[in-house]
Amino acid sequence: MNIIVSEEIRSVCPCFVGAAVEAYVSNSAMNDGLWKEIAAMEQFVTSAYTSDTIKERISGIAATRRVYKLCGKDPSRYRPAAEALIRRVLQGKGLYQIDTLVDLVNLASMKFGYSIGGFDADMFAGDTLTLGIGRAGEPYEGIGRGMINIEGLPVYRDAIGGVGTPTSDHERTKMTLDTSHVLILINGYDGDISSVEANAEYVCSLLQRYCDGRDCRYKMYGMVE
């Protein structure tokens, strides 16, 4: 998959860096070992942060919120996924359980503070994804959210249209129990190459341990030469 970072994203975030993780996998409804890791992460989150400090102390969240504002979106109304997950844990609700692929992406997002898109790679149209900014009236069906307004949100588009934003991915390309080929995109709006790369390596390790990940590899993109 070719990934292009558009000039409109460059204009609001010149330092953007991303990582694309690809693997062949076997999904499952739930994995006990993974949930032990999630429970440990929830304990860490509740001891390390409060709802008032996450926006300042986690650079990936702070940077994503800043880009939302520059694009004209209210980050408190359309929260980046990493922030929404951590806030849920801080509210004592616990991470919701979906399936092993979705759960491990959520764990990786909480651990590093980056909003991560997880996709069924066989559901994309074409061989190129372009990261741009959502337009007024652009149709977009968020997973479990129905139609949402993505105007002013960073959005990945394939040959048909939008597939992923830092707030919600699209129903058309979502991971399911039948997914066997994944593409996972890590969005580093803070420009921290080493942290984004560490996040990608962590995702690969989770896929290998809990989803029989095969041919797992990642590539960095978006860095300015």
Side-chain angles (χ1 to χ4, degrees):
M1 183 63 68
N2 302 311
I3 303 176
I4 299 169
V5 179
S6 70
E7 287 305 315
E8 59 183 356
I9 289 291
R10 296 278 190 205
S11 69
V12 294
C13 188
C15 67
F16 174 86
V17 59
V21 180
E22 186 176 5
Y24 292 90
V25 297
S26 298
N27 200 6
S28 61
M30 184 177 179
N31 185 287
D32 290 337
L34 174 62
W35 274 89
K36 289 179 181 177
E37 289 202 44
I38 290 173
M41 180 55 59
E42 288 177 335
Q43 288 185 335
F44 170 78
V45 164
T46 55
S47 66
Y49 305 113
T50 69
S51 296
D52 294 327
T53 62
I54 56 175
K55 293 184 292 185
E56 292 78 27
R57 294 186 57 198
I58 303 176
S59 66
I61 291 175
T64 306
R65 289 177 61 89
R66 183 166 59 250
V67 167
Y68 272 34
K69 291 177 182 178
L70 290 171
C71 291
K73 208 67 168 177
D74 181 358
S76 294
R77 183 177 179 188
Y78 294 84
R79 294 196 189 280
E83 180 183 353
L85 291 169
I86 292 174
R87 282 183 176 276
R88 180 180 176 86
V89 171
L90 291 174
Q91 291 166 2
K93 297 177 181 178
L95 193 66
Y96 39 77
Q97 192 272 321
I98 306 296
D99 61 51
T100 301
L101 279 173
V102 174
D103 298 343
L104 73 80
V105 166
N106 288 340
L107 170 60
S109 183
M110 285 199 302
K111 183 176 178 67
F112 285 85
Y114 296 120
S115 293
I116 302 176
F119 307 94
D120 186 322
D122 294 334
M123 296 294 105
F124 289 125
D127 62 359
T128 300
L129 293 176
T130 301
L131 177 58
I133 298 175
R135 308 181 187 102
E138 184 172 0
Y140 191 94
E141 185 179 1
I143 297 174
R145 293 170 174 255
M147 301 303 291
I148 63 174
N149 174 18
I150 65 166
E151 181 181 5
L153 284 179
V155 58
Y156 288 95
R157 300 183 181 94
D158 66 5
I160 292 177
V163 295
T165 76
T167 290
S168 175
D169 293 330
H170 197 286
E171 283 279 352
R172 174 167 60 89
T173 50
K174 71 179 181 181
M175 301 182 297
T176 69
L177 286 174
D178 294 326
T179 296
S180 60
H181 180 200
V182 294
L183 182 70
I184 296 170
L185 301 180
I186 301 165
N187 296 283
Y189 288 95
D190 62 354
D192 189 334
I193 295 173
S194 61
S195 183
V196 171
E197 188 167 21
N199 200 165
E201 291 172 351
Y202 180 63
V203 168
C204 282
S205 73
L206 292 176
L207 290 171
Q208 290 164 347
R209 279 184 282 151
Y210 299 121
C211 293
D212 189 28
R214 304 172 300 282
D215 298 328
C216 189
R217 56 198 181 277
Y218 68 89
K219 68 176 181 180
M220 307 294 289
Y221 61 95
M223 294 91 74
V224 177
E225 297 295 336

